[in-house]
Amino acid sequence: MRIKLIIACISILCVSIACEDILEVVDISNENVLVLAPLTGAVLNENKVHFNWERVEEATAYKIQVATPNFSNANQIALDSVIAIDTVGVIKTTINSTLANGLYEWRIKALNSDYETSFTTNTFTIQGENDITPPNTPVLVAPTNDSSQDETTVNFSWTREDIVGTAEKDSIYIYTDESLQTLQLKALGANKAFSTTLTAGTYYWVVQAFDAAENASDDSATFKVTIN
């Protein structure tokens, strides 16, 4: 009886060792994911982006990330996804995503249960017809808030970072009441500035940006200026 038990234990041990040999995980850390598209410098004329790459042998998943304008100075992580092997052993080497116009950086790496590659990184620009990104909100500069002046000519100015690939313009609204109900003047700015002549009184001004696709920014802060 004892001999049979020893033989059974040896058989189980041999099976265990054989399984470990079969399930050995291959080190892929020195591999690189070969990107097919979009490559660095690509300018895309549509907002649906098709990300494609070559398969890495022994990889069981891919991690893909997209940032705008780049990862070192990201305003937004537009995509952060893991594509894993499915139940029938198939792993996709493509993913689609609809993105707004602008500059992007994307990166991808391959993984398995024990190892992973370094990221492969590329940059691209989208200049699609379906622009869905509003302009940045203007920041008022001068006249400073709650200021006063004797001159009736008022030089308004503001700042706003333009979005790459989008034609944008700024509208300035000048009101005579704090509740912004009585509009004195509406005009287009030029190079983030506008000049006009106003009579004595107190005025409240706001700037809003628009683009060619009719997207609108948020209103700027409201500044008050008094003409003596």
Side-chain angles (χ1 to χ4, degrees):
M1 184 69 167
R2 181 175 296 177
I3 293 173
K4 290 183 178 179
L5 180 61
I6 292 171
I7 292 172
C9 290
I10 292 172
S11 297
I12 293 171
L13 179 60
C14 290
V15 170
S16 176
I17 293 172
C19 289
E20 286 181 2
D21 290 339
I22 294 171
L23 297 176
E24 180 181 0
V25 179
V26 176
D27 184 354
I28 62 171
S29 58
N30 292 323
E31 301 290 332
N32 289 301
V33 180
L34 177 61
V35 167
L36 299 178
L39 297 172
T40 291
V43 179
L44 310 181
N45 58 12
E46 58 182 67
N47 296 90
K48 187 174 183 179
V49 184
H50 306 278
F51 297 94
N52 297 272
W53 59 93
E54 290 280 6
R55 179 174 178 268
V56 174
E57 295 294 337
E58 308 300 336
T60 57
Y62 299 98
K63 184 173 182 63
I64 179 173
Q65 297 176 320
V66 181
T68 180
N70 52 56
F71 288 101
S72 61
N73 188 31
N75 293 329
Q76 181 185 16
I77 301 298
L79 179 65
D80 188 355
S81 182
V82 174
I83 302 172
I85 195 167
D86 63 21
T87 55
V88 294
V90 176
I91 181 169
K92 296 191 301 181
T93 56
T94 183
I95 189 173
N96 300 328
S97 182
T98 300
L99 302 173
N101 287 1
L103 180 64
Y104 291 89
E105 185 172 59
W106 79 286
R107 62 190 183 187
I108 185 169
K109 64 181 176 181
L111 310 93
N112 60 28
S113 59
D114 290 352
Y115 304 97
E116 60 183 52
T117 69
S118 299
F119 275 114
T120 299
T121 304
N122 286 267
T123 60
F124 63 95
T125 302
I126 298 179
Q127 296 181 359
E129 296 179 356
N130 300 318
D131 183 4
I132 58 175
T133 303
N136 291 312
T137 303
V139 177
L140 305 188
V141 175
T144 56
N145 190 29
D146 209 19
S147 62
S148 62
Q149 63 181 63
D150 295 329
E151 293 290 330
T152 57
T153 298
V154 186
N155 297 313
F156 299 94
S157 64
W158 55 92
T159 62
R160 177 180 54 76
E161 183 178 357
D162 292 337
I163 295 176
V164 176
T166 303
E168 298 174 336
K169 60 184 179 182
D170 298 299
S171 290
I172 181 171
Y173 304 85
I174 302 173
Y175 298 87
T176 57
D177 62 313
E178 190 172 5
S179 61
L180 309 183
Q181 297 299 309
T182 306
L183 183 64
Q184 174 73 16
L185 177 66
K186 173 187 174 182
L188 287 177
N191 298 319
K192 315 294 188 303
F194 175 73
S195 294
T196 191
T197 300
L198 299 172
T199 59
T202 297
Y203 299 90
Y204 302 85
W205 63 289
V206 177
V207 177
Q208 187 178 24
F210 300 87
D211 65 20
E214 299 184 354
N215 297 304
S217 74
D218 292 333
D219 289 342
S220 70
T222 301
F223 274 18
K224 172 184 173 183
V225 58
T226 299
I227 310 301
N228 299 322

